[in-house]
Amino acid sequence: MTSNRARLRAALAEGTRLTGTFVKLPVPDVVELCGLAGFDFVVVDLEHSTLTEADAIGLVRHAERCGLPALVRIPEVDAPLICRLLENGAAGLQLSMLGEAAQTRALVRATRFAPEGARSVSLANRAAGFGLRSSGGLKAFLDAERDDPPLLVGQVETPWWRDGDSWDAVIGDLDVVFVGGTDLAVSLGADPGGDDLRAAVGEIEGAAERHGIAFGGWAPSRTAAQGQGLTAARYLVTGSDLQILAAGLEAAAGEGGNG
């Protein structure tokens, strides 16, 4: 059976635009609703949310059962945490504030088994079938993970490329280069919808194209993506569950209010 991450990777390779959203609420129904509503993936947010590790694992497990790829956004490379997320079915990791080759190397090491990386091996988890004989054992697990590795998304939020490590060194091992537009605008001192930000986004898009890597980014909605230079984004994250809920509640309160 083709895994969620394999389907996501294949769709990115085909040039299909995939749309997801950030999940910040610790409610399994949210990821299920995302799948039913037509999102292609979700990103469980361990950076800008109150989710605990246990919450994130529960969301990842539920998403996998629903056939919906769930990546997890992390603020730094924490190898033991990454190991536990992958062992519970995370389709991949989205690393925030990527700007140095050392960060990418650490991410690869934490998500790949030797000799490509240094991820710790255990069969006592869901991803390995809990070590049951019917799951095929160690070789089958390692082969499956090497043939279908976790997706790696690097979130670019500062203009590091203007005086830092080369594009090849930083993004060469990624599946997606992702524009964190809000932080990038703040870093540049730019208008979130202005020409300076769009120019920087264009530089990131060009680097992704040169290296054969999918280009992605965040926008509050699909219609807003064009104005932020994300027209060509194949991995588009729109809003979040909280943002969508807030907008719906505000609209409902306005319809029923006295003002």
Side-chain angles (χ1 to χ4, degrees), residues 8-9 49 51 71-72 78 110 126 129 137 144 153 177 179 181 220 223 229 249 258:
L8 195 62
R9 179 176 279 112
S49 77
L51 294 177
L71 293 90
V72 182
D78 179 336
R126 286 181 78 241
V153 181
V177 177
V179 178
T223 54
L249 288 172
N258 296 319

Side-chain angles (χ1 to χ4, degrees), residues 41-64:
F41 64 94
V42 293
V43 182
V44 176
D45 192 356
L46 277 180
E47 183 185 24
H48 292 296
S49 77
T50 60
L51 294 177
T52 65
E53 177 185 331
D55 293 332
I57 286 174
L59 293 168
V60 164
R61 290 170 70 120
H62 194 71
E64 186 185 42

Side-chain angles (χ1 to χ4, degrees), residues 107-125:
L107 183 62
V108 171
R109 282 177 58 81
T111 57
R112 304 294 194 260
F113 293 118
E116 293 84 7
R119 178 179 164 190
S120 182
V121 182
S122 170
L123 298 183
N125 60 75

Side-chain angles (χ1 to χ4, degrees), residues 219-232:
S221 66
R222 285 185 67 119
T223 54
Q226 183 173 355
Q228 296 184 200
L230 297 173
T231 303

Side-chain angles (χ1 to χ4, degrees), residues 48-119:
H48 292 296
S49 77
T50 60
L51 294 177
T52 65
E53 177 185 331
D55 293 332
I57 286 174
L59 293 168
V60 164
R61 290 170 70 120
H62 194 71
E64 186 185 42
R65 287 297 187 189
C66 295
L68 181 67
L71 293 90
V72 182
R73 177 161 74 169
I74 53 175
E76 60 185 357
V77 177
D78 179 336
L81 171 63
I82 288 172
C83 192
R84 294 189 293 271
L85 292 169
L86 295 177
E87 288 176 350
N88 281 281
L93 284 304
Q94 182 161 322
L95 178 62
S96 295
M97 300 300 289
L98 179 67
E100 296 180 355
Q103 292 172 281
T104 305
R105 289 195 298 269
L107 183 62
V108 171
R109 282 177 58 81
T111 57
R112 304 294 194 260
F113 293 118
E116 293 84 7
R119 178 179 164 190

Side-chain angles (χ1 to χ4, degrees), residues 1-12 69 91 147-149 151:
M1 183 174 64
T2 304
S3 72
N4 288 333
R5 69 173 64 149
R7 290 197 300 274
L8 195 62
R9 179 176 279 112
L12 287 171
D147 292 342
D148 183 20
L151 280 96

Side-chain angles (χ1 to χ4, degrees), residues 6-32:
R7 290 197 300 274
L8 195 62
R9 179 176 279 112
L12 287 171
E14 291 168 1
T16 303
R17 166 171 276 193
L18 304 176
T19 305
T21 193
F22 283 119
V23 173
K24 302 172 183 284
L25 295 171
V27 184
D29 287 353
V30 169
V31 294
E32 194 161 345

